[in-house]
Amino acid sequence: MSRQVFLYDPPDRFVAGTVGLPGRRTFFLQATAGSRVTSVALEKTQVAALAERMDELLDEVVRRSGGSAAVPAMAPSEISDSGPLDTPIEEEFRVGTMALAWDGEEQRMIVEAQALVELDADSEEDLAEAEERLLQDEENGPPMLRVRLTGAQARAFAKRALDVVNAGRPPCPLCSLPLDPEGHVCPRQNGYRRGA
């Protein structure tokens, strides 16, 4: 079966969002073009890493171009998107690996999110070999979401994604672990504290 690629070039909308209450949220990347919507699930840490790396890559593009690249230093307020995810949210796949690239010719950020794949291997060498084959198999690989964004769209995505990540449970002022609505057992309150 050939690989399924959900391509948005360009998307009308590309955002990170959540479903559920803090502490039990499911994170999604969602791309929209017209009536077509693709939602893929991923971990909170993946959203944070994607947003941070996106900002770093955009900063590097600006630095290398001497400021001539069509990349704003900050997310433009006129294209900020704080709306909820489009419904119905139907998960196409759970993200395993992600990649970012800058197309200097087209002045576009390329974001790829590939489905999580379970590999069976008897040794680490077998696992490495299986992963390499999978990455090189462009035709038969796992499903992938590929989105091409302008510099401004990429900045707006990164800002919203970090806002979504930071909108979770507030940290305990003593131990920095997340506070749950049901209560919090603070290691600092009962005398237990890891390493100093």
Side-chain angles (χ1 to χ4, degrees):
M1 189 170 127
S2 66
R3 169 181 241 171
Q4 187 174 16
V5 177
F6 301 92
L7 177 64
Y8 289 83
D9 183 14
D12 295 336
R13 183 178 193 227
F14 181 58
V15 296
T18 62
V19 173
L21 298 172
R24 292 176 182 79
R25 298 186 294 172
T26 302
F27 287 78
F28 290 95
L29 295 180
Q30 189 177 74
T32 309
S35 62
R36 193 167 65 109
V37 177
T38 303
S39 302
V40 296
L42 68 171
E43 298 297 322
K44 178 180 181 177
T45 55
Q46 289 175 297
V47 175
L50 178 61
E52 289 165 4
R53 287 292 301 134
M54 192 176 281
D55 266 340
E56 290 170 7
L57 181 56
L58 292 169
D59 291 344
E60 182 65 16
V61 167
V62 170
R63 187 187 70 73
R64 287 190 180 186
S65 72
S68 65
V71 176
M74 296 177 64
S77 60
E78 63 272 8
I79 65 167
S80 75
D81 183 344
S82 59
L85 294 173
D86 294 326
T87 55
I89 300 167
E90 296 174 6
E91 179 182 322
E92 295 294 338
F93 59 84
R94 178 157 288 281
V95 174
T97 59
M98 295 183 294
L100 282 178
W102 179 257
D103 180 346
E105 222 172 88
E106 299 284 326
Q107 297 286 300
R108 294 287 185 265
M109 171 77 67
I110 303 163
V111 181
E112 290 183 351
Q114 186 171 282
L116 181 64
V117 176
E118 305 267 339
L119 298 174
D120 290 327
D122 295 331
S123 69
E124 286 201 26
E125 285 126 17
D126 291 346
L127 182 60
E129 192 177 299
E131 285 175 341
E132 188 63 30
R133 269 196 321 271
L134 188 63
L135 290 172
Q136 292 179 359
D137 192 354
E138 192 63 31
E139 259 183 53
N140 300 310
M144 179 194 314
L145 171 65
R146 181 178 291 147
V147 181
R148 295 175 56 87
L149 305 167
T150 65
Q153 288 174 317
R155 284 282 191 210
F157 170 86
K159 181 184 181 321
R160 175 188 166 124
L162 289 174
D163 289 346
V164 166
V165 167
N166 294 326
R169 297 172 289 173
C172 171
L174 298 175
C175 70
S176 299
L177 292 173
L179 292 171
D180 288 318
E182 302 87 41
H184 169 68
V185 177
C186 180
R188 300 279 307 269
Q189 289 291 331
N190 68 7
Y192 174 77
R193 183 174 176 205
R194 284 192 191 179

